[in-house]
Amino acid sequence: MKVVIITGGSRGDVAPYAGLGARLKAAGHDVAIAAQESFAGLVHEAGCEFRLVPGDTRAMLGSEEGQRWQGRGTGTLRSMKTNIQMGMQLLEETGKGVVSAAQGADVLLLHRTALWHGYLAAGVMGIPAVGLELFPSVPTADFALPSFDVRFLGRWGNRHLPSLVMGVTSHVRTPLDTPIRAFQQQLGLPQTGLGEVRRRTIEDENWTILHGYSPQVVPRPADWRPGVEVVGYWWPPAREDWRPPRELTDFLEAGPPPVFVGFGSITRHDTEEITETISAAMRRAGTRAVVQAGWSELSAMGDDVLAIGDTPHEWLFPRMAAVVHHAGAGTAGAGVRAGVPAVPVPMMGDAPFWSRRLAGLGVSPGYVPMNELSAERLGDLVRQAVTDPAYRQRAAELAGRVGAEDGPARVIETLDRLPRRPRRR
């Protein structure tokens, strides 16, 4: 079966699908992954065909507008505005590549940035498609959606307000409608806008949505419809030929396990200030640290702090005393997999959701939003995570349960149940 995975966004939006693609290939499928140009190497390393999706998320986040988006923080209303503005740009960019990426596919597997365009294109092209989400995407009374934070309205608001908003926006034009309506026009479809398409993907019982995180971390809500499942993590592909640099192994051997600090694809221009805060926080906590540069190009200060570049989390995290990260879905999952305590520093998107969840599971003493970051708050949380053995014990127990799951196998089972398209001669 020719499987085409379409994704957009940052590395955290591509790496899980690269790992999934490698497993699908091992199961006998022919796999292509459509992503931004900067991730062609990651796709090829997974042994998959690369197809291009327009856009450059790193440049977008590093721009003046991107800095304003990130600077608005994680407050409820401000983050929703940010999600809308960033979502509109990602929709416009990803949508331009969906039809060409889908050519020759027997099935489409769609990341959130391509989901609505892909849903429409699959219907017109007669291709089966499955939504692949990295965080909860369907309204439930159990919790507020990461993309629609309405916790202040309780269980009723959690469950019904997103649907009400989608119903209203099906009849009222919004900025997010523009790229969807243009795409519908391109396909020769009635121009309904995003709200109506989103509603259809949630209610369409023939449309499968698989969530790539552990049910041990977020159990499947009982009020989700059939066909919406939580299947387990899709880990990035293992880098079998990777070897740690001598500087890193020497640092690890020279003292007690350090604390990892890294903010992944978050792109900040106040790098020097953040670096000083991190260094002061580690001194306050009395710990050593390894600081990963990431897209913000963080550095390190002090004899007990080492700056590192791209290093596989599956190798590094188990060697850490704790992990301080931006709480992206993939990095949060990597910390869970490693069985180490976490101190999230959320900034935008789904990060506040995962931060609350890690604290609720008892593997984190709490979190501090990036815009409220201080050496005192971060240092105190790190010290608590490292010195209280209960956090590591709970993290280890959770890692054992998560490690027994096989998320890619559930995707393979879903593909095996799909109807086969007749091959063209």
Side-chain angles (χ1 to χ4, degrees):
M1 179 182 288
K2 182 66 177 185
V3 179
V4 176
I5 303 172
I6 309 178
T7 183
S10 69
R11 183 182 179 88
D13 298 302
V14 180
Y17 301 106
L20 175 60
R23 280 289 302 275
L24 294 176
K25 277 187 66 68
H29 295 288
D30 180 11
V31 183
I33 300 177
Q36 294 175 4
E37 180 65 37
S38 58
F39 302 112
L42 177 59
V43 171
H44 288 140
E45 288 173 7
C48 299
E49 174 194 345
F50 174 75
R51 297 186 178 185
L52 181 65
V53 165
D56 185 338
T57 299
R58 184 171 188 174
M60 178 184 73
L61 292 176
S63 68
E64 289 186 11
E65 187 174 26
Q67 291 297 295
R68 286 196 296 272
W69 288 340
Q70 294 173 88
R72 289 177 185 144
T74 55
T76 300
L77 296 178
R78 299 175 78 190
S79 66
M80 285 173 62
K81 182 177 181 181
T82 297
N83 289 340
I84 289 172
Q85 291 179 321
M86 290 187 64
M88 183 174 177
Q89 183 158 342
L90 285 171
L91 281 174
E92 286 181 318
E93 292 175 344
T94 307
K96 294 174 183 176
V98 164
V99 173
S100 60
Q103 295 303 312
D106 293 313
V107 61
L108 300 180
L109 302 182
L110 304 168
H111 172 260
R112 165 163 291 254
T113 53
L115 195 149
W116 300 296
H117 289 87
Y119 177 82
L120 294 169
V124 170
M125 299 171 75
I127 304 172
V130 177
L132 299 184
E133 295 274 21
L134 299 177
F135 55 81
S137 64
V138 175
T140 172
D142 290 356
F143 47 77
L145 292 182
S147 58
F148 203 97
D149 194 345
V150 290
R151 286 172 293 148
F152 55 88
L153 291 177
R155 290 179 61 84
W156 184 93
N158 292 344
R159 180 68 180 87
H160 296 290
L161 190 58
S163 299
L164 291 173
V165 170
M166 282 183 275
V168 170
T169 56
S170 295
H171 303 287
V172 177
R173 293 283 292 270
T174 72
L176 282 173
D177 287 333
T178 302
I180 291 294
R181 291 174 70 90
F183 189 70
Q184 289 173 318
Q185 184 179 34
Q186 175 187 336
L187 296 177
L189 295 172
Q191 298 177 47
T192 60
L194 178 60
E196 174 62 17
V197 177
R198 179 89 171 94
R199 183 192 64 77
R200 284 162 54 192
T201 61
I202 289 175
E203 297 178 0
D204 184 352
E205 295 193 356
N206 295 316
W207 171 252
T208 298
I209 303 175
L210 304 180
H211 292 83
Y213 53 80
S214 171
Q216 297 292 329
V217 176
V218 183
R220 181 191 185 278
D223 57 358
W224 277 0
R225 65 164 173 82
V228 180
E229 303 296 339
V230 177
V231 301
Y233 285 107
W234 307 312
W235 303 117
R239 295 164 60 179
E240 303 293 348
D241 60 346
W242 183 86
R243 297 292 181 272
R246 182 65 179 270
E247 184 182 25
L248 175 56
T249 56
D250 286 349
F251 182 79
L252 294 177
E253 293 169 1
V259 171
F260 168 86
V261 182
F263 302 135
S265 300
I266 295 297
T267 305
R268 299 278 295 211
H269 289 173
D270 54 347
T271 301
E272 184 175 341
E273 180 181 344
I274 293 174
T275 296
E276 291 175 355
T277 300
I278 291 169
S279 298
M282 296 305 111
R283 289 194 298 270
R284 182 181 179 89
T287 63
R288 305 193 312 144
V290 292
V291 178
Q292 192 166 48
W295 281 7
S296 289
E297 300 182 354
L298 298 177
S299 57
M301 298 172 58
D303 294 336
D304 288 333
V305 183
L306 177 70
I308 62 173
D310 185 22
T311 305
H313 289 167
E314 67 269 21
W315 183 91
L316 184 64
F317 281 12
R319 293 168 168 81
M320 299 293 104
V323 289
V324 176
H325 55 66
H326 63 299
T331 309
V336 167
R337 183 188 195 185
V340 293
V343 178
V345 182
M347 187 166 178
M348 59 194 302
D350 54 327
F353 175 85
W354 296 116
S355 300
R356 292 191 297 269
R357 193 68 199 125
L358 293 174
L361 290 165
V363 301
S364 169
Y367 59 93
V368 51
M370 177 66 81
N371 284 357
E372 300 173 19
L373 187 65
S374 70
E376 293 75 21
R377 291 184 65 180
L378 180 59
D380 290 347
L381 287 172
V382 168
R383 182 170 56 232
Q384 190 176 351
V386 170
T387 60
D388 186 340
Y391 291 109
R392 179 166 284 274
Q393 180 180 346
R394 286 189 291 263
E397 292 170 353
L398 177 61
R401 298 193 299 272
V402 170
E405 299 169 352
D406 189 347
R410 296 284 302 278
V411 179
I412 293 169
E413 292 169 5
T414 299
L415 295 183
D416 289 342
R417 293 194 296 267
L418 291 176
R420 293 294 193 269
R421 294 180 72 202
R423 285 286 183 184
R424 296 176 181 172
R425 296 186 181 276

